[in-house]
Structures are given as structure tokens and as C-alpha cells.
Amino acid sequence: MIKIENLQKHFGPKHILNGVNLEIKNGEVTTIIGGSGTGKSTLIKCIIRLLEPDGGKILVDGKDITHINNEFQLAKLRKNFGYLFQEGALFDSLTVGENVTFGLKYLTDTPKSEYAKIAKEKLALVGLKDIEHLRPSELSGGMKKRVSLARVLATNPKVILYDEPTSGLDPIMSEIISQLILDLKKKLDVTSIVITHDMKSAFEISDTLAMLYEGKVQLAAPKEEFKRTQNPYVKQFIEGSANGPIQMKISN
Amino acid sequence: MFKKTGKFLIFFFTQFGQATEMIKDAFFWFRKSPLEVNQTLQQIVKIGVESVPVILMTGLFVGMVLALQAGNTMQNILSEPLYIGLLVSFSLVRELGPVLTAFVIAGRAGAAVTAEIGTMKVTEQIDALSTLGTNAIRYLVIPRLIAFTVSIPILTIFSDIMGIFGGFIVSVEGLGVPSSTYTNDITTYLGVDDLMHGLIKATVFAFTIGVICCYKGLNTRGGAEGVGKATTGAVVVSMVMILVIDYFLTAILHAFGV
Ligand SMILES: Nc1ncnc2c1ncn2[C@@H]1O[C@H](COP(=O)(O)OP(=O)(O)OP(=O)(O)O)[C@@H](O)[C@H]1O
Ligand SMILES: [Mg+2]
């Protein structure tokens, strides 16, 4: 279980996270929604400790990881985690195949002879075939995203943090990825934290949803409860209405 | 004015401190983790091997112009082009070989290193390394530091040889110095300690360029514009530092009689 208590994070004077509380249960899919720039990516980067929080606590299976700075301990923590970057973050000096199998060398004992097979297998999971020899610069945006997901899946992490797994994908591909996330949960008991703007996918895959607004979790609840909530912020967001308590700042 | 100077000094020492921290990390991971052999070899090719042509060219022409200047000066003072081999080889081996090679490599390979690492930084590839079980120091910095430190001294030797050869051509063909005089100048006066002097410098310059360029890359911020800034910054700081270190290192090496 991942427990986040009163988490604070600021960049200079900008307070992005201002007291986030959230519990993520093992083997569940927890979805985080919220407006653009509210700090969703920042939050999951704190969980995998690409960022160090400025206050509060993060407990992973009871262990306080908020301020560990020892590279070995961090590596140990990250070993069980997979992280899908919002922009893919593929290594552009390597081929697709090398990208997908990159983590195997460092995180597993898989012999080199199996890399090709694993690359093929994981790419197939995200609907890609015969592109191992291409460079990331030769791929479309959606393909990059899926290759990046294949790279995450290659090392069989126990916890996967997805930063917008379906953004930039067509509706059918989005559905395939949503099913994949569910499959991983059912078959391999993977814990997932998913950031998404795709409400259809969110309600399809989530056990729990949480909405981030103004540095705090407005509401975190099981799916059915979340759907029926009367919380005006959440309601407005789910319905995608321009009128409500959330006033997007649009300069004119 | 005071405020500005103070700010600059704080900025300078913070960066210096952070760069030192990076060197410490590099040594730590160098001992604790297996070397990325493939990466290191690739970088030696990119930084070293691919720089050979430009180093040969610059070395040749620097030797030629040195011979020309020395020859003309000697002609004016002593009415005879004396000691050209001596002047050319000493200036090259002790001073110009290492400094020019370091300059050329800073501009050619150093800039590329900062741009590559900087781009990786702003596109989160550096973070991706950390999530995939390695890190930027192990995967990027150590191979590049090794490649710079191995390549630049060797390139310096190439540059020295080409320079001495260029000086030879100008002296013998242009100034009418007997070829045996030119070579005798070199074999009589130039010693192993001169070569050592030059190579120690080259090695220190190499490590300095590596550290500055990797550090600037890893601390890039702000998209494509940031990458551009980091790259120019890395080259300028490298060149200035080479000259500053050159002065102090020369003084130190002299004190030790090298
Ligand atoms: N490294 C950084 N330095 C300074 N500010 C940052 C940094 N990273 C993020 N921010 C700021 O923090 C805020 C939250 O960013 P974050 O990427 O977490 O948003 P997000 O919720 O993921 O948005 P989106 O849905 O658009 O991806 C933004 O206002 C952003 O400008
Ligand atoms: Mg984001």
C-alpha cells in the first residue's frame, strides 16, 4: 500500500501540492484526475522519488521513502516500480528494441538471448509489430507512447505509474490500453496509478478515483461513490462543464 | 555593483560545488558499478577518433605558422633562421599542442556532449534512466569522462607530431633550413619531461572539459532554448577554464621541475 500524508511540493514560490492525502491499495487501479497544471505529474514523480517532497510523508508498504537520498535505496525502491512518462521519454539514441529491453540489464537477470523475444512480446501487447529496428524519431506520437509503455512492461513491475497512458491515441487503441491495464491487474495483481483526462477510460478501469484541485485531493472515493458524488468540483469536472466552482483562468 | 559581484560569486561557487559533487558521484559509481563498456567505446569514437582529421589539420597549420613566425623573427634579429626546430617543438609540445587540442575538442565534442545530455534532460530521458535501474552518472557521465580523458592526450600527441612536421616543411622548403639542423634542434633539446609537461596538461584539460560539459548538460532547464544556452555556456566556460588552469598548472609543473 502507498500512503500519502499531507504532501507538500513547491517550485520556487509556486505551491503545487499543498497537503495531499491519498491511499493507494495494492492490486487496485487508482486514477487521478484534475485540471491541466494542477500537479498530477508532480505527485506521481514524488511517489517514485524523481522529486523530493518539501513536506508530508510517503509510505510504501509502511516504509517512509519521503527523504531517502541514498542512490542504492532509491534504486531498490524503484525496482518494483514502472513509470510511464507523459511524453514517453524514449532514448532517441537507441532503437525501439533497445528502448524496450533497456531496463532488463539493470533490473533483472534475464539473459541477453531473450531480449529479442521479450521486445517482440511486449510490443505486441501494445499493438505494435516489426518496429524494433526503428528509431524513436521515426515513430508517430501515439506509437512513441506505446513503445514507452512496452518499455515499462518489459521488467514486470509490481506497481505501475501511468502518466496519461491513452492521450494521443485513437479511441480503439485507447480501449486496448485500458483493457491492458485491467489485464495486468487481474492476471499479475499489478497495482496501478493512472493519470488520465479520458473519463470513459477512467470509469472503466478504476477501483478508486481521486481528484486533485488546488494542491489538495478534493475527493478520493470508490468508483460508484465518485460517480454519484455531489461535490461540485468533481461534478463539474466529470461533466466537463464550463460553469461551476472551477474557474479556468483564461486571459484575454 | 557589489551586489552583482556577490551574486556572481555565489553563483560561481554553487556551480563549482555541484560540479564537485558530480565528480564525487562519478568516482563512487565508477567503483561500485560495472563500466558501460559499449557506451565508453562509442564515446571514444565520437569524441576521439572522429576528431582526428580536424586535429591533424589544426596541428599542421599551427606548426607551419610557428615556423614562419620564428623564422622571420630570427632572420630579423640574427640575420639567420636559427633554432626554428627548437622553438616550434617547444611551443607545441609544452603549450600549444595541449591547449589547441583542448580548444578544438571543447568546441567540437564538448558542445555535442552538452547538447545531447541537455536534450535528454529536458525530455525526461535522464529521469527515465533512473526509473530503469541505472542513472545519468553511470550511463552517461562516466563513459564521457573516460572518453575525454583518454582521447585528448592522444590527440595532443598527434597534433604535436603534425605541428613539428608542418614546421619542418616550412623551415626546409620555405626558409632554407637544412633538414638535419631542424631535426637536430629537436632531438638535442626536447626531452621526455617536455612531453610529460604537455601530456599532464592535456589530461587535466580533458577531465575539466568532460566535467564542465556533462555538468552543464545535466543542469539544463527550459526546453530547446535552454539546451542552446547550456551548450554555449559549456564551451565558453571550458575555454576560459582551460586557459586559467593552463597558467596555474604551468607554474606548478615548473615548480616541480617538469
Ligand atoms: N521542474 C519544474 N520547475 C518548475 N515548475 C514546475 C516544474 N515541474 C512542474 N512545474 C509546475 O508545476 C505545475 C504542475 O505541473 P504538473 O506537470 O504536475 O501538472 P499536471 O497536473 O501533470 O498537468 P497536465 O495535465 O497538463 O500534465 C505546473 O504549473 C508547472 O508549471
Ligand atoms: Mg502531467
Side-chain angles (χ1 to χ4, degrees):
Chain A
M1 189 170 79
I2 300 169
K3 198 164 180 202
I4 300 165
E5 290 172 4
N6 193 26
L7 197 72
Q8 314 270 342
K9 178 74 198 171
H10 53 82
F11 294 110
K14 271 197 300 188
H15 284 262
I16 307 299
L17 304 179
N18 207 353
V20 171
N21 292 298
L22 188 63
E23 263 181 37
I24 290 137
K25 298 198 186 71
N26 285 345
E28 280 200 352
V29 177
T30 304
T31 297
I32 301 171
I33 60 171
S36 194
T38 47
K40 303 181 295 298
S41 300
T42 305
L43 174 61
I44 62 169
K45 276 183 192 162
C46 285
I47 296 176
I48 195 174
R49 282 302 314 283
L50 287 172
L51 292 172
E52 186 174 356
D54 297 312
K57 256 191 201 168
I58 301 173
L59 305 169
V60 175
D61 293 329
K63 190 172 177 307
D64 187 347
I65 59 133
T66 324
H67 297 292
I68 50 175
N69 270 316
N70 176 308
E71 279 287 337
F72 279 110
Q73 282 177 305
L74 279 178
K76 224 170 96 190
L77 162 75
R78 291 180 186 138
K79 214 178 162 122
N80 295 321
F81 280 78
Y83 189 103
L84 176 67
F85 286 86
Q86 189 167 0
E87 310 289 342
L90 292 176
F91 302 120
D92 38 35
S93 60
L94 304 179
T95 63
V96 166
E98 288 166 339
N99 263 288
V100 173
T101 54
F102 189 91
L104 293 174
K105 179 175 162 193
Y106 305 99
L107 295 170
T108 69
D109 300 323
T110 320
K112 268 231 152 70
S113 52
E114 291 186 20
Y115 283 17
K117 197 190 91 204
I118 294 174
K120 202 180 162 81
E121 194 181 295
K122 302 297 175 182
L123 285 170
L125 281 181
V126 295
L128 292 169
K129 211 174 116 189
D130 297 332
I131 58 161
E132 283 94 326
H133 60 283
L134 297 180
R135 299 263 160 187
S137 57
E138 297 171 277
L139 305 179
S140 75
M143 286 164 91
K144 277 185 198 157
K145 195 85 196 228
R146 286 184 282 155
V147 171
S148 192
L149 181 52
R151 182 173 74 179
V152 172
L153 300 177
T155 56
N156 298 322
K158 296 303 295 168
V159 183
I160 304 181
L161 313 179
Y162 302 85
D163 201 340
E164 301 193 13
T166 58
S167 72
L169 301 184
D170 63 68
I172 300 169
M173 208 59 236
S174 292
E175 178 57 26
I176 292 176
I177 300 296
S178 298
Q179 286 304 324
L180 177 63
I181 295 172
L182 280 177
D183 262 10
L184 288 168
K185 170 180 127 174
K186 280 183 209 138
K187 291 187 190 145
L188 300 171
D189 205 27
V190 168
T191 306
S192 304
I193 304 172
V194 183
I195 293 176
T196 189
H197 289 301
D198 177 349
M199 292 316 300
K200 174 173 166 278
S201 154
F203 283 122
E204 186 179 335
I205 61 177
S206 310
D207 296 297
T208 303
L209 289 100
M211 177 168 158
L212 204 58
Y213 180 70
E214 298 206 319
K216 291 193 170 59
V217 171
Q218 276 293 320
L219 175 70
K223 176 163 57 182
E224 291 312 318
E225 192 184 325
F226 200 89
K227 259 186 194 164
R228 289 187 319 253
T229 181
Q230 289 305 312
N231 181 313
Y233 295 94
V234 179
K235 240 177 122 174
Q236 184 193 351
F237 197 85
I238 297 175
E239 288 165 3
S241 155
N243 304 315
I246 306 176
Q247 293 298 324
M248 296 276 177
K249 292 161 218 88
I250 296 169
S251 50
N252 43 4
Chain B
M1 180 64 199
F2 268 129
K3 222 174 148 186
K4 262 200 178 149
T5 320
K7 251 193 188 156
F8 174 78
L9 282 179
I10 290 171
F11 178 71
F12 178 81
F13 282 110
T14 326
Q15 295 225 324
F16 190 80
Q18 286 172 349
T20 315
E21 202 63 31
M22 190 191 83
I23 299 172
K24 248 172 55 193
D25 284 352
F27 277 103
F28 174 81
W29 287 110
F30 185 66
R31 279 183 290 122
K32 290 281 166 156
S33 63
L35 181 66
E36 293 278 350
V37 181
N38 275 342
Q39 288 297 311
T40 309
L41 292 178
Q42 267 180 33
Q43 289 305 317
I44 290 178
V45 170
K46 272 195 193 165
I47 294 169
V49 178
E50 288 177 9
S51 299
V52 170
V54 54
I55 290 296
L56 295 183
M57 279 294 283
T58 49
L60 180 72
F61 278 90
V62 168
M64 286 167 66
V65 77
L66 274 177
L68 201 58
Q69 292 280 21
N72 288 337
T73 311
M74 285 303 177
Q75 189 83 46
N76 289 341
I77 304 173
L78 307 169
S79 12
E80 221 182 318
L82 287 174
Y83 301 124
I84 302 189
L86 177 73
L87 288 169
V88 168
S89 62
F90 262 74
S91 356
L92 274 175
V93 171
R94 292 182 74 96
E95 194 57 57
L96 287 175
V99 170
L100 278 176
T101 306
F103 265 40
V104 171
I105 300 303
R108 196 193 157 274
V113 162
T114 307
E116 186 186 9
I117 298 182
T119 306
M120 291 183 73
K121 169 79 182 187
V122 300
T123 54
E124 298 187 312
Q125 293 175 54
I126 300 282
D127 285 339
L129 287 174
S130 301
T131 65
L132 291 166
T134 178
N135 60 52
I137 301 285
R138 280 168 69 180
Y139 191 76
L140 301 170
V141 175
I142 292 174
R144 282 162 180 75
L145 284 180
I146 293 176
F148 276 113
T149 315
V150 169
S151 304
I152 293 186
I154 296 174
L155 290 170
T156 299
I157 296 176
F158 288 0
S159 167
D160 290 349
I161 293 172
M162 279 309 275
I164 289 171
F165 172 67
F168 178 87
I169 295 174
V170 169
S171 309
V172 176
E173 302 295 326
L175 302 164
V177 178
S179 61
S180 60
T181 311
Y182 184 88
T183 43
N184 274 346
D185 267 1
I186 297 172
T187 47
T188 332
Y189 296 110
L190 197 70
V192 179
D193 53 336
D194 297 312
L195 195 64
M196 283 304 292
H197 182 102
L199 290 183
I200 291 173
K201 278 182 174 175
T203 312
V204 175
F205 295 162
F207 192 72
T208 309
I209 297 174
V211 168
I212 291 172
C213 293
C214 290
Y215 171 79
K216 286 280 185 187
L218 286 179
N219 288 281
T220 303
R221 247 167 261 249
E225 192 194 354
V227 175
K229 265 194 194 152
T231 307
T232 10
V235 175
V236 171
V237 174
S238 294
M239 288 181 171
V240 172
M241 285 312 286
I242 288 166
L243 293 177
V244 172
I245 290 174
D246 188 34
Y247 175 79
F248 289 105
L249 202 53
T250 307
I252 293 169
L253 289 174
H254 268 296
F256 282 96
V258 184

